[in-house]
Structures are given as structure tokens and as C-alpha cells.
Amino acid sequence: MNNKPTIHDIAKALGINSSTVSRALNDSPRVTQKTKNKILAMAQELGYQRNVLASNLRKNVTHTIGVIVPRISRHFFSSAIQGIEETAYAAGYNVIICQSLEQLEREQSIVNGLVEKRVDGLLISISMETLNYDHLDLVAKNKIPLVFFDRHCNIPNYSSVIIDDFKGGFEATEHLIKQGCKHIAHFSGPKNLEIYKNRLAGYKAALKKHKLTFNESYVITSRLMEDDGYANMKVLIDKNIEIDAVFSANDMAAIGAIKFLKQQKIAIPEDIAIVGFSNEPISTAIEPSLTTIDQSGLTIGKTATNLLLNYIEEKSIPEKGKTVIIDTSLLERNSSKKE
Amino acid sequence: MNNKPTIHDIAKALGINSSTVSRALNDSPRVTQKTKNKILAMAQELGYQRNVLASNLRKNVTHTIGVIVPRISRHFFSSAIQGIEETAYAAGYNVIICQSLEQLEREQSIVNGLVEKRVDGLLISISMETLNYDHLDLVAKNKIPLVFFDRHCNIPNYSSVIIDDFKGGFEATEHLIKQGCKHIAHFSGPKNLEIYKNRLAGYKAALKKHKLTFNESYVITSRLMEDDGYANMKVLIDKNIEIDAVFSANDMAAIGAIKFLKQQKIAIPEDIAIVGFSNEPISTAIEPSLTTIDQSGLTIGKTATNLLLNYIEEKSIPEKGKTVIIDTSLLERNSSKKE
DNA sequence: CTGTTAGCGCTTTCAG
DNA sequence: CTGAAAGCGCTAACAG
């Protein structure tokens, strides 16, 4: 009994036609309840299981959405994926997860593979290397709905779900200013990513509002890994640059900075306050000097998936992309000089 | 041009038969290089893309493996998933991720769905509620290879990949003893999970070896969420139970405990040392009192996937399950009274 | 309400 | 080396 029973087997066993069986199993109103019952009973008896592959081929759908993130284990992304999975599951969709590992080439090959697999939709947070969007043409050509989340790109006709990075950067910086900080460094990320541009813009705007001069040498751009944060902090200290706070554009770099300061016995936040644009509740639980935007990953994931599912089920890709900006109430936990 | 080109289109355009096209696209040796070239060129020209759905149906494979974890955003699982994805991707497989959210019912329905989707293999870390394994019969009946990772269960004929929990528990406890701790509490997890039984056994063995009496009231069993750790710690303190250390069976509960102690201004590790069985490098970066087993998630994920791929590609599910125990060198970072 | 028929797009015998 | 034909298991017209 290697061969799984098919609808034909159950049809034959009942002396009826397989299309009736198909209809019954899909709970079509065009079958008597009586025959439905018979069919269901027989299906049960034979241990029948629908072959989703065949069904999908016929219907030309997969009930699967592809997700591409730079790296699954980054907390922001794993919580986004959690939100995606929950929303997708509730709607009867599965989720295929792929990671670009920040490599454009890998991202391209993944997109290609997912299109071949005929995913019903695509959710992408682009890699740091992605400056070229040719691989997305394939997606458009195949009319596969696509929604960017978090790391979007500034091209029209695509939808994105992001948090309000400008406001976040503004509030984080203003928060430090209100604590009395006057010399605030900023760790920024690659400029091809809108999110980092916007966080930087928010930082600048806050300085301006509070009449603090913007100092070019206070902004250090890196890939924002933990080691980068450590190195950035070291540079500032070694060069004796006078700072009393750092606004880091992500959590990893903030953690690196904290690590360095702890080693140097520099007090946080008394000597130098740190705010990391972050979504790492565990870290903040044990180190309150880290700022988190709690739940932002989850919320972005859910929102992006809902938007995507709309496109998929309406079968209408909107002419113009839509950008959903999630106004997260920032600074749930604060780095504070007064604490 | 809504309809994607098929092999028939490219056959027709070339005046040849579609089976030749199929062979050429699969790089069969039974086609001339010359015709292959012609076919490849035409495929390119028409923008042909293989319909993997159809191919899979025909070949009765999916090149997809299903992964079930309790919760994606838990760092241990997200790093395991990262390892799974990397290994699977390298072998040409995709990964469908599902979360049980610790609910048996959900786990059952997910297993069912993945079997219907005809995944080629299954990687499962069971939920805390899973005391009943009937839903796995379906997997066996369909001859779908299955490998448990981390949270396995004690039933024969299934393979598992785990870390050496007994040794880990032993070493963590012994480490505390060597620091001079004599009253070590243990936060344990649900007893249906082997991992928690084994960590507890390791704890007991270490006490025994060092001639410390095992005290039943030092062991607190919970679901090991952050709040549980907080509450457990509070109970110990409120009841004035004399302890100088805690070995927590996971990181979350350890973090909750640390949080409580910090609020109470109880010094870590001077007053109470904490070791959490953990895989959360970010937390340990900023709080060295937490112990981590770094990379264990990644390693388990990769190892489990390799084992599963073996089963899939050999098409042979071994008669008897195999348990791979990863001997992680523990205690990369330590909680130490001397530090 | 049920049956007949024709595919979805691909792979794979079996012939030639 | 290439072609013809059958069919993976299911669904969806179209009849009746």
C-alpha cells in the first residue's frame, strides 16, 4: 500500500464518478448531503488525503507566500516572520522562508526560485547590497504581488510597510536632548536603505529644532553589526571626541557600543547615554539603557502580510504602490541620564 | 501575454517535440548539444520558466521540507531555522516554517497540512503540550522522513538531534559549585520534554558528585517564560530560602530572574549567581552573568537538516531511529563569583 | 444533482 | 538521438 488512495479510488469503491468525489470533498453545494456523507466516510476509511500538488497545478495557486529576509536569526526579522506566519496561517497560507545573507546574488537566485515555485505572493526585506532591482522585474512580469517590509526601496509601484523611521529617529534624538545631552553621535547604516536615511534625517531634524549644530564627524556609517558598534564607539573614545550620547540606528551596533563602554568602565547612561533603534526585548530586559521599539517586528510582519493577502485575493495589483507607515509609540524603554 | 510559455510553446516554435525540450532543459545526455543550445536560446527568448508545480506533481517530490517550531522569534529557534535554511538552500530545498505556539492542536493541524503539501521531509521541535503522538502516525504512514531537533520525544524509531543536555546541566551546575556556591536552585521545565528531564538529571548528578544534598524545594518547575523566571525568583526571595545561585534550564527564565534581582538591588553574581541554559548571544554581550551555549541553535539546525536530507535522498527511512548528541563546549561565558 | 471529458505542464516509458 | 503517447491527481466546463 505504497500508493496513496486518490479520488478515483474512492469513486470506484462507491461506484460513482470521481468528479462527484472532488465536489464533495470541496464541499460544493451541488452534491447531496447523503452522497457527501458516503464519500467522506469512504475517504476516511481509505485514509484518503488530498494531493495538494495536483490541486494547485490545476488551480494555478499554491497558497504559499515567499519571504526573503537578510538573516532569520536577527531578532527583528524573526519577530517579523512570526507575525507573517501567524497571519498567513490564519488565512490558510504557508510561508517559505529564505535568507539573502545580505548578498544581492543570493537574493536574485532566491527570487527566481520562488517565482518558479509559483508562490502566490512575496514579502521582501532587501539586502544591504541591493542597489539593482532587475530581479524584481520577473516578479512584476509574473504579476506576483510583492510587499516590502522594513527595508524597502524607493521605487514606485511597489508597496511597503515600514515603521516611521523619521519620527523614530527624531524622537530618539529629542529624548536624549531632553535628558540634557548636547553632543550626540549617530551610528548610521548603508545609504541605499531608506530606513537609515530617514533615521538620520530624524536625528538632524531634532538637532535643528533644539538649535544644536549638526556635526558631520558625529555621524559614523557602517553595516551596523555588533562589531561595528564596538569599533565605532572605540573610534569616538580614542579620538577623544566629546560626546555624551549615541543614537544608534539599530540594536546590534548599540550593543557593541555598550560592550565597549562597559569594558572601559564608562558609565551608562551617566557618562554616555545610548539609545538603540531596536526590537530586542530580551536585551532591554537586562539592560534598560537600550531603547526598544517593542513589537515593531511583529506588527510590521502582520501588517505586511495582510496587505499582501489583500492583493493576492483581490487578484489586483494596484497601479501605484502604497506605503503603510506604522506609527509605533517609540521609546518604551529609555536611556535616561536621570534614572 | 498572461499565459506563461510552456515547453510546448518552445517546441512548437522550433518545430520539435516537447519531450525533447523537457530533456534538454533537464540537461539529459540524450540530446545533442546543438539542439540543446537551440532550445536554451528559445527558452531564453520566450522568457520561459519551468512550472515547478507540474514537475513536482509528475515526479512526486517537492524539494521542500517542513519545519515546526513552538515559536519562531525565540532566539534558539530562529538560529536553528537559520541553520536549517542555509543547509537546505545549499542542497536545493526550500523550507516551510510553521509554529505550533506550544499548542498540540495547532501542531496536529500543521502536520496534517504539511503532509498534504507532500513535503519531502519534516523537522520538528515539539510543543510543550505534546504528550500524544498520534499525529505523527500519519507521517510514518506516508513514509515521510522526520527528524526531531532539540525538543525530541522518547519514542523509538524516530531520529533526533539534540545537544548533550545532561552534560550541559552537569557542567553548568558544577561550574557554580566550583565558584563556591552551595545552595543552588534549579528552574526546570515541563517533564514531558526530555531536554528538561536531562538537564535536571545533570544538575542532580553534579550535586551528588560534590556531595551536596539535593533539596526538592530548590527545584521549581514552570514553562520557563521570562515571567516565570521572575516569579520563581520572587518566590525564592520572598520565602527567604537560602540560595546563592540559580541554574535555569533556559535563557528566558534566567532573564526574568535577573530582572527581579536587579530590581531588588541584589548583586549578580556576588549575592546570587545565575546561569541560564541559553543561546542568546546578544543578551550575554551586555550581561555577562548569563551563560550561553553559543551557536548551538545553528549547529543543531544544520545537523538535523543534513540527517534529514540523507534520509530523503536515500529514500530509506532507517528501521531504528538515531539520536545525534551534539557535544557543545558549554559555558562559553560564565557567571562567576570571582569575576 | 451527477457524469463525461478535457486538460493544468511536465516527465517518462516505449518506439522508431 | 528524437517523437508519440500516456498519465501524475485533481478541477471545471459542459451535458444530461
Side-chain angles (χ1 to χ4, degrees):
Chain A
M1 136 123 210
N2 202 348
N3 311 20
K4 299 200 59 163
T6 71
I7 51 172
H8 300 294
D9 296 325
I10 110 170
K12 207 172 293 170
L14 256 40
I16 58 176
N17 192 279
S18 59
S19 52
T20 306
V21 176
S22 172
R23 282 191 277 259
L25 295 174
N26 287 301
D27 205 24
S28 156
R30 306 185 348 189
V31 182
T32 333
Q33 191 58 48
K34 215 167 100 188
T35 43
K36 265 186 199 171
N37 290 342
K38 268 199 313 192
I39 290 169
L40 257 20
M42 182 56 75
Q44 183 84 32
E45 191 185 326
L46 297 179
Y48 170 81
Q49 275 209 310
R50 172 204 307 264
N51 186 326
V52 179
L53 247 55
S55 168
N56 285 349
L57 170 61
R58 186 59 230 252
K59 295 195 289 188
N60 201 32
V61 294
T62 52
H63 283 285
T64 300
I65 66 186
V67 178
I68 307 176
V69 296
R71 176 163 262 119
I72 293 165
S73 66
R74 284 280 309 276
H75 188 267
F76 173 80
F77 292 118
S78 67
S79 54
I81 295 170
Q82 166 160 4
I84 291 168
E85 197 278 341
E86 284 177 15
T87 309
Y89 179 83
Y93 283 74
N94 280 127
V95 180
I96 291 182
I97 305 286
C98 305
Q99 32 189 3
S100 64
L101 302 178
E102 307 286 9
Q103 295 157 23
L104 173 58
E105 198 186 340
R106 208 173 141 128
E107 187 174 289
Q108 290 167 330
S109 116
I110 290 169
V111 166
N112 201 63
L114 291 176
V115 172
E116 276 190 339
K117 270 225 162 165
R118 300 291 195 273
V119 292
D120 291 342
L122 229 32
L123 248 26
I124 305 184
S125 208
I126 59 175
S127 90
M128 285 196 186
E129 277 185 2
T130 305
L131 296 160
N132 170 315
Y133 306 111
D134 292 350
H135 53 307
L136 302 181
D137 291 349
L138 187 65
V139 178
K141 203 171 291 167
N142 283 281
K143 304 205 164 86
I144 297 177
L146 164 63
V147 172
F148 291 110
F149 67 101
D150 191 52
R151 297 214 203 144
H152 62 133
C153 40
N154 207 3
I155 39 180
N157 300 343
Y158 287 108
S159 293
S160 314
V161 174
I162 52 179
I163 49 179
D164 193 335
D165 292 294
F166 177 87
K167 190 170 167 220
F170 184 91
E171 288 181 358
T173 309
E174 186 169 54
H175 171 76
L176 289 168
I177 295 171
K178 286 188 175 161
Q179 304 301 320
C181 302
K182 297 203 177 326
H183 305 281
I184 305 170
H186 177 49
F187 294 171
S188 186
K191 289 296 178 297
N192 57 314
L193 296 181
E194 293 296 312
I195 55 175
Y196 299 126
K197 280 200 258 184
N198 293 335
R199 287 171 199 178
L200 173 60
Y203 162 79
K204 285 184 183 172
L207 294 182
K208 193 166 180 184
K209 178 180 168 195
H210 292 277
K211 310 229 188 307
L212 293 176
T213 52
F214 169 67
N215 186 334
E216 192 73 60
S217 68
Y218 278 6
V219 176
I220 307 185
T221 299
S222 70
R223 286 168 67 97
L224 294 174
M225 305 283 117
E226 190 183 318
D227 289 347
D228 297 316
Y230 186 96
N232 293 348
M233 199 69 232
K234 187 163 164 30
V235 166
L236 290 172
I237 298 296
D238 286 354
K239 284 197 182 164
N240 256 316
I241 296 181
E242 185 198 6
I243 56 163
D244 51 16
V246 173
F247 162 43
S248 167
N250 84 355
D251 54 347
M252 307 291 288
I255 284 160
I258 289 173
K259 211 167 164 182
F260 179 76
L261 293 177
K262 285 200 170 181
Q263 284 176 8
Q264 303 293 311
K265 312 270 184 214
I266 295 174
I268 308 167
E270 292 78 9
D271 298 330
I272 297 182
I274 306 275
V275 168
F277 207 97
S278 150
N279 184 46
E280 176 50 84
I282 294 179
S283 304
T284 54
I286 60 182
E287 179 53 72
S289 67
L290 252 183
T291 294
T292 183
I293 301 177
D294 218 15
Q295 305 287 53
S296 74
L298 205 61
T299 308
I300 285 191
K302 288 183 175 177
T303 309
T305 310
N306 278 322
L307 184 58
L308 182 69
L309 289 173
N310 270 351
Y311 292 159
I312 292 174
E313 311 215 313
E314 308 239 322
K315 306 248 178 234
S316 69
I317 301 174
E319 281 305 303
K320 290 191 289 183
K322 179 176 171 180
T323 300
V324 178
I325 298 178
I326 296 174
D327 179 72
T328 318
S329 63
L330 268 184
L331 303 178
E332 276 204 14
R333 293 161 189 282
N334 295 323
S335 155
S336 160
K337 290 243 171 186
K338 289 178 189 156
E339 264 176 7
Chain B
M1 134 126 211
N2 203 349
N3 310 19
K4 299 199 57 161
T6 72
I7 51 171
H8 301 293
D9 296 323
I10 109 169
K12 207 173 292 169
L14 255 38
I16 58 177
N17 191 281
S18 59
S19 51
T20 306
V21 176
S22 172
R23 281 191 276 260
L25 294 173
N26 287 300
D27 205 25
S28 156
R30 307 184 349 188
V31 181
T32 334
Q33 191 58 48
K34 216 168 97 186
T35 43
K36 264 187 200 170
N37 290 343
K38 268 199 314 193
I39 289 170
L40 256 21
M42 181 56 76
Q44 183 82 33
E45 189 186 324
L46 296 180
Y48 170 79
Q49 274 210 312
R50 173 204 306 266
N51 186 326
V52 179
L53 246 56
S55 168
N56 285 350
L57 171 60
R58 186 59 230 254
K59 295 196 290 188
N60 201 33
V61 294
T62 52
H63 284 284
T64 300
I65 67 186
V67 178
I68 307 177
V69 295
R71 177 163 262 119
I72 294 165
S73 65
R74 283 282 308 276
H75 188 268
F76 174 80
F77 292 117
S78 67
S79 52
I81 295 170
Q82 167 161 2
I84 292 167
E85 198 278 340
E86 284 177 16
T87 308
Y89 178 84
Y93 282 75
N94 280 126
V95 181
I96 291 181
I97 304 286
C98 305
Q99 32 190 2
S100 64
L101 301 177
E102 307 286 9
Q103 295 158 23
L104 174 58
E105 199 186 340
R106 206 171 142 132
E107 187 174 289
Q108 291 166 329
S109 115
I110 289 169
V111 166
N112 201 63
L114 290 176
V115 172
E116 276 190 340
K117 271 224 162 167
R118 300 291 195 274
V119 291
D120 291 343
L122 229 32
L123 249 25
I124 304 185
S125 206
I126 61 176
S127 91
M128 286 196 187
E129 276 186 2
T130 305
L131 296 161
N132 170 315
Y133 306 110
D134 293 350
H135 52 308
L136 302 181
D137 292 349
L138 188 64
V139 178
K141 203 170 291 166
N142 283 280
K143 303 204 164 85
I144 297 177
L146 164 63
V147 172
F148 291 109
F149 66 101
D150 191 53
R151 296 213 202 146
H152 63 133
C153 40
N154 208 3
I155 38 180
N157 301 342
Y158 287 107
S159 292
S160 313
V161 175
I162 52 179
I163 47 179
D164 192 336
D165 292 295
F166 176 86
K167 191 171 166 217
F170 183 90
E171 288 181 357
T173 308
E174 187 169 54
H175 171 77
L176 289 167
I177 296 171
K178 286 187 176 163
Q179 303 302 320
C181 302
K182 298 204 176 322
H183 305 282
I184 305 170
H186 177 48
F187 294 171
S188 186
K191 289 297 177 296
N192 58 314
L193 296 181
E194 292 296 312
I195 56 173
Y196 298 126
K197 279 201 259 184
N198 293 336
R199 288 172 199 178
L200 173 60
Y203 161 80
K204 284 184 183 173
L207 293 183
K208 193 166 180 185
K209 178 181 167 193
H210 293 276
K211 311 230 187 311
L212 294 174
T213 52
F214 169 68
N215 187 334
E216 193 72 62
S217 68
Y218 279 5
V219 177
I220 307 185
T221 299
S222 69
R223 287 167 67 96
L224 295 174
M225 305 283 117
E226 189 182 320
D227 289 347
D228 297 315
Y230 186 96
N232 292 350
M233 198 70 233
K234 187 163 163 27
V235 166
L236 290 172
I237 298 295
D238 286 355
K239 283 197 184 165
N240 257 318
I241 296 182
E242 185 198 6
I243 55 162
D244 49 18
V246 174
F247 162 43
S248 167
N250 83 356
D251 54 347
M252 307 292 288
I255 284 159
I258 289 172
K259 211 166 163 180
F260 179 76
L261 292 178
K262 285 200 170 181
Q263 283 175 9
Q264 303 293 312
K265 311 270 184 216
I266 295 175
I268 308 167
E270 292 79 8
D271 298 332
I272 296 181
I274 307 275
V275 168
F277 207 98
S278 148
N279 184 47
E280 176 49 86
I282 294 179
S283 303
T284 54
I286 59 181
E287 179 54 71
S289 68
L290 251 183
T291 293
T292 180
I293 302 178
D294 218 16
Q295 305 287 52
S296 75
L298 205 61
T299 308
I300 286 191
K302 287 182 176 177
T303 310
T305 309
N306 278 322
L307 184 58
L308 182 69
L309 290 173
N310 272 348
Y311 292 159
I312 292 174
E313 311 213 315
E314 307 239 322
K315 307 248 177 233
S316 69
I317 301 175
E319 280 306 301
K320 291 191 286 184
K322 178 178 171 180
T323 300
V324 178
I325 298 178
I326 296 175
D327 178 71
T328 317
S329 61
L330 267 182
L331 303 178
E332 276 205 14
R333 293 161 188 282
N334 295 324
S335 156
S336 159
K337 289 240 167 184
K338 288 178 189 155
E339 265 176 9

